[in-house]
Amino acid sequence: MTLGKLVFKNLTRRRGRFVFTLLGIIIGMGSFVAFMSLGGSLKSQIERESAALGANLVVTPKGSCAYEQVAILTGEQLPTTITAEEVAAIRSIPGMRAIPYLAERSAIENRPVSVMGILPAETKEIKGWKLSAGSYFPTETTEGAVLGAVLAEQFALAPGSEVRIRGEMIPVLGVLSETGGKDDLTVFLAMPLAQRLYKQKNTVSYVAVRVDRIDEVDLYALKIKEKVSLGVVSDKQMLGSVLSIVGTVNVTLQLIAAVAILAAAFGIVNTMMTATYERKREIGILQAMGAPRSTIFRLFLLESAIYGLLGGIGGAVLGFAASIVAAPYISQNAATSFVKGSQASIDPVMLIGAVLFSTLVAMVSGLYPAWKASKLSPVEAISYE
Amino acid sequence: MSDAIIKTVQLTKEYGRGATLTRALRGVDLEIPRGSFTCIIGPSGHGKSTLMHLIGGLDRPSGGSVIIDGQQISSLSEKGLAALRASKIGFVFQFFNLLQSLTAAENIETALMLAGVPEAKQKPRALELLELVGLSEKADSKPGQLSGGQQQRVAIARALANDPPVLLMDEPTGNLDSAAEAEVMAVLEELNKKGKTVILVTHSSEIAARAGNLVRVRDGQIEAA
Ligand SMILES: Nc1ncnc2c1ncn2[C@@H]1O[C@H](COP(=O)(O)OP(=O)(O)OP(=O)(O)O)[C@@H](O)[C@H]1O
Ligand SMILES: [Mg+2]
């Protein structure tokens, strides 16, 4: 017999209670891990999108707020109010490159996809795109579509097939190499075709600006504002405000998970308190056999620690599984659509952290019951029937 | 008899205070000879169990002193007292002596573990002890699968685990029929012959008649024989 074996025998003597207490911890830790891992991949995805935009400044419609900034990074539909004259004025400023985008949505096989109107040559250069199949827009006005890699695969589209957008069959010209970002899930059209399909007379959603001298980015923001009456944000501001929204969502989710963990912790307290009452006489017998208080304390503390250990492992597995399964399904919402197509990554540090955290929580929960058990006087315990 | 394994001097024990004050022991002077078979008898509620708990170091006296194998227990810490119980005393109570989730052998192994016997040496010793009480074939039975008499014999085997010089038993046969009682008594007399000091509380005049040393407790005091 070892203390560890004795703990395991005690742990499993009430199977039902053991399972239900453990489930509480697994669910609490599982939701915590799932939210953490979703939040973590969301954040890195946003950072990747911001980099993929290849811009230092973004010109948005007047009065746009954080929602539009999120939409730019996620590829949501945006109000299209920036006129051709405004675009031309911005593009006339020397020392920077300005590229307009028209951000729209369409559906393929009833699943929503992003549709982007672009300036083919310039966008390709700025984004550093490569083709994996077919050819790219031969001219700035070619009536065809170039597809993101994941989208092409999802809907089994290849050069030569057609894709229906706004009721019109558009020939697929080519497929881009995978970028790891939302471009993989986007249909790209040359600007004139996009504007015609979406009935936007020469208007665009936003303009991405890359300045030649990054240290003068504020100066260029002012220059743009002098020329046109539109909103200008730097990529850092945009990243900051989007991350803070995502952060708020994350914190909220994690608070919910924390409540679940707290409830599970009280489940452990409850189970262990019940165990100390049930085993009152056995505690007395152990004391009569010569077990010091410290041994009784350890016996009970270890028992609750094991709930945390097993619950942490189970919760980590469940949480990661849930985040992998859930990721593609929660993509309809602007704030979470980054996760779409991306795998929730399994972070070993987080896994170990979750198990340690859960064990710690369980041990703290077990402190009071273990202390109560160890404080029993032998005679009181032995007289209990 | 100068060689007393257990000695008490003006031992008192009070429970509660004020209106609920119970003076369970009122000045007990007792010497239990080493190697004796001692029976403690007396009416119910007169302090027999209290006396057992005190001389086994399970509880501390309100006054007076207990000396176990030359050691004054009032000077011991909680830890020291637990260590003393592990090495010097084997307890057997009236019922529910065994840890219910463990087999007979595991119950004994747990006592060995508490005395610091390494795991590898526990099993052979446990089987040896079960054989001593004639229960080798019940090694893997849980308490619920044993009869009352068998449970008490396992409890005795466990009490012997660390080869303590003293066996303290509070009505070990109180819940048994006469056949089971005879089995248990046979084991105890055998152990006593091998040199163990056996102290047992009993309500049975038959058992008391076989005792080499009889202690009568009445009203928290020792009655002259
Ligand atoms: N924990 C306690 N708190 C208060 N009073 C107690 C406690 N334990 C025992 N007593 C009282 O002390 C007295 C002696 O009790 P004890 O258990 O020693 O009697 P006993 O001789 O063993 O009786 P029995 O033969 O019925 O087992 C009784 O009056 C009992 O009510
Ligand atoms: Mg009694």
Side-chain angles (χ1 to χ4, degrees):
Chain A
M1 192 57 48
T2 60
L3 204 62
K5 281 188 188 166
L6 194 55
V7 167
F8 265 102
K9 300 252 180 204
N10 280 331
L11 197 61
T12 50
R13 58 201 284 181
R14 299 257 188 232
R15 296 264 157 72
R17 204 165 62 201
F18 169 71
V19 168
F20 289 125
T21 306
L22 195 58
L23 272 180
I25 286 282
I26 289 176
I27 290 167
M29 283 309 298
S31 53
F32 191 65
V33 168
F35 292 150
M36 287 280 282
S37 119
L38 279 176
S41 71
L42 200 57
K43 190 163 169 272
S44 60
Q45 199 76 358
I46 287 168
E47 279 160 356
R48 206 135 31 108
E49 286 306 332
S50 168
L53 198 59
N56 316 111
L57 291 171
V58 178
V59 183
T60 57
K62 186 109 191 120
S64 46
C65 59
Y67 173 77
E68 280 80 8
Q69 297 175 11
V70 173
I72 287 169
L73 291 186
T74 59
E76 287 294 310
Q77 195 160 13
L78 275 170
T80 310
T81 58
I82 301 176
T83 63
E85 292 71 42
E86 286 168 324
V87 173
I90 296 164
R91 279 164 73 83
S92 73
I93 299 170
M96 56 177 235
R97 296 184 65 173
I99 300 177
Y101 289 89
L102 179 66
E104 295 289 352
R105 298 289 264 181
S106 182
I108 302 177
E109 291 170 12
N110 285 325
R111 288 171 62 183
V113 296
S114 304
V115 175
M116 285 286 238
I118 54 170
L119 300 184
E122 287 187 64
T123 306
K124 184 178 183 217
E125 189 196 328
I126 289 263
K127 296 236 184 196
W129 280 338
K130 297 205 167 39
L131 279 190
S132 69
S135 59
Y136 196 65
F137 302 97
T139 72
E140 292 297 292
T141 54
T142 307
E143 300 233 320
V146 169
L147 309 180
V150 175
L151 181 134
E153 200 193 309
Q154 259 178 15
F155 299 105
L157 293 168
S161 51
E162 292 189 318
V163 52
R164 180 193 290 275
I165 293 171
R166 289 236 143 185
E168 231 173 272
M169 298 310 288
I170 311 294
V172 175
L173 302 171
V175 177
L176 296 175
S177 299
E178 202 163 326
T179 64
K182 73 169 197 320
D183 289 350
D184 288 346
L185 288 143
T186 305
V187 176
F188 294 98
L189 304 173
M191 192 60 89
L193 175 61
Q195 286 172 334
R196 178 170 69 74
L197 289 176
Y198 287 91
K199 301 195 167 57
Q200 304 297 334
K201 282 204 188 91
N202 297 326
T203 53
V204 300
S205 310
Y206 62 92
V207 180
V209 174
R210 179 184 283 182
V211 299
D212 295 344
R213 296 198 49 183
I214 186 81
D215 51 328
E216 289 182 349
V217 69
D218 293 339
L219 182 71
Y220 283 97
L222 284 176
K223 281 187 182 177
I224 295 168
K225 280 184 181 161
E226 274 171 23
K227 290 249 182 188
V228 294
S229 174
L230 294 172
V232 181
V233 286
S234 75
D235 59 338
K236 293 212 174 52
Q237 286 166 348
M238 191 162 79
L239 191 62
S241 65
V242 172
L243 282 182
S244 84
I245 293 171
V246 170
T248 311
V249 173
N250 271 353
V251 166
T252 311
L253 290 177
Q254 279 159 24
L255 275 177
I256 294 169
V259 171
I261 291 172
L262 197 67
F266 279 107
I268 294 183
V269 175
N270 189 35
T271 294
M272 294 310 296
M273 286 306 285
T274 312
T276 62
Y277 284 121
E278 273 179 2
R279 294 185 214 146
K280 210 167 174 177
R281 185 170 173 91
E282 295 199 355
I283 293 167
I285 289 166
L286 283 168
Q287 289 176 320
M289 282 157 75
R293 292 192 193 290
S294 59
T295 300
I296 307 287
F297 184 79
R298 264 188 295 161
L299 205 55
F300 279 84
L301 194 66
L302 272 175
E303 193 169 327
S304 51
I306 287 172
Y307 275 113
L309 185 71
L310 296 180
I313 294 170
V317 170
L318 182 80
F320 280 119
S323 69
I324 288 166
V325 172
Y329 290 102
I330 52 175
S331 62
Q332 307 309 323
N333 175 299
T336 54
S337 63
F338 296 96
V339 187
K340 149 179 65 180
S342 72
Q343 349 49 343
S345 56
I346 291 182
D347 178 357
V349 174
M350 197 163 107
L351 207 144
I352 293 166
V355 172
L356 287 181
F357 175 64
S358 159
T359 307
L360 188 76
V361 167
M363 283 181 81
V364 171
S365 311
L367 278 178
Y368 179 68
W371 179 79
K372 279 288 255 193
S374 74
K375 279 289 164 254
L376 272 178
S377 90
V379 172
E380 188 192 340
I382 214 77
S383 311
Y384 184 83
E385 283 153 31
Chain B
M1 178 73 81
S2 62
D3 187 20
I5 190 150
I6 286 172
K7 191 173 175 208
T8 70
V9 180
Q10 277 305 301
L11 192 62
T12 63
K13 181 69 184 179
E14 293 165 1
Y15 293 108
R17 53 179 58 211
T20 64
L21 180 83
T22 308
R23 298 176 65 197
L25 293 180
R26 328 165 166 230
V28 171
D29 288 309
L30 184 66
E31 285 196 17
I32 293 177
R34 193 182 292 273
S36 68
F37 196 110
T38 300
C39 272
I40 298 177
I41 57 170
S44 181
H46 280 233
K48 302 183 297 297
S49 294
T50 303
L51 181 60
M52 292 296 267
H53 295 154
L54 290 176
I55 62 183
L58 261 189
D59 204 358
R60 290 183 186 274
S62 307
S65 57
V66 177
I67 297 126
I68 301 174
D69 208 9
Q71 202 159 20
Q72 173 96 30
I73 70 159
S74 55
S75 64
L76 291 173
S77 65
E78 289 289 330
K79 210 178 171 65
L81 209 52
L84 178 116
R85 290 196 294 266
S87 62
K88 295 277 165 71
I89 312 283
F91 282 98
V92 178
F93 303 100
Q94 188 171 351
F95 43 75
F96 292 134
N97 275 290
L98 302 177
L99 304 176
Q100 299 298 310
S101 56
L102 305 183
T103 64
E106 287 167 344
N107 261 282
I108 299 169
E109 287 166 30
T110 302
L112 292 165
M113 170 193 87
L114 289 172
V117 176
E119 202 192 1
K121 292 191 184 160
Q122 290 172 8
K123 188 92 189 182
R125 174 90 177 119
L127 294 177
E128 200 180 294
L129 287 162
L130 280 172
E131 194 175 339
L132 193 71
V133 296
L135 285 175
S136 302
E137 77 280 15
K138 297 291 184 185
D140 297 324
S141 302
K142 293 257 175 94
Q145 300 162 327
L146 296 173
S147 75
Q150 288 169 335
Q151 288 188 38
Q152 289 306 73
R153 277 146 70 198
V154 173
I156 291 168
R158 189 186 62 193
L160 291 168
N162 306 311
D163 202 19
V166 182
L167 279 182
L168 269 183
M169 288 170 279
D170 197 348
E171 302 185 53
T173 60
N175 270 16
L176 304 180
D177 65 18
S178 54
E181 179 178 284
E183 285 172 2
V184 171
M185 286 310 295
V187 169
L188 291 180
E189 279 170 354
E190 190 58 34
L191 288 168
N192 179 242
K193 274 198 200 111
K194 288 181 188 156
K196 297 277 180 222
T197 306
V198 175
I199 306 171
L200 76 90
V201 173
T202 184
H203 282 284
S204 153
S205 46
E206 277 166 54
I207 294 176
R210 282 147 76 177
N213 180 30
L214 199 59
V215 176
R216 288 173 204 275
V217 175
R218 179 172 287 276
D219 240 354
Q221 283 174 316
I222 306 294
E223 261 188 341

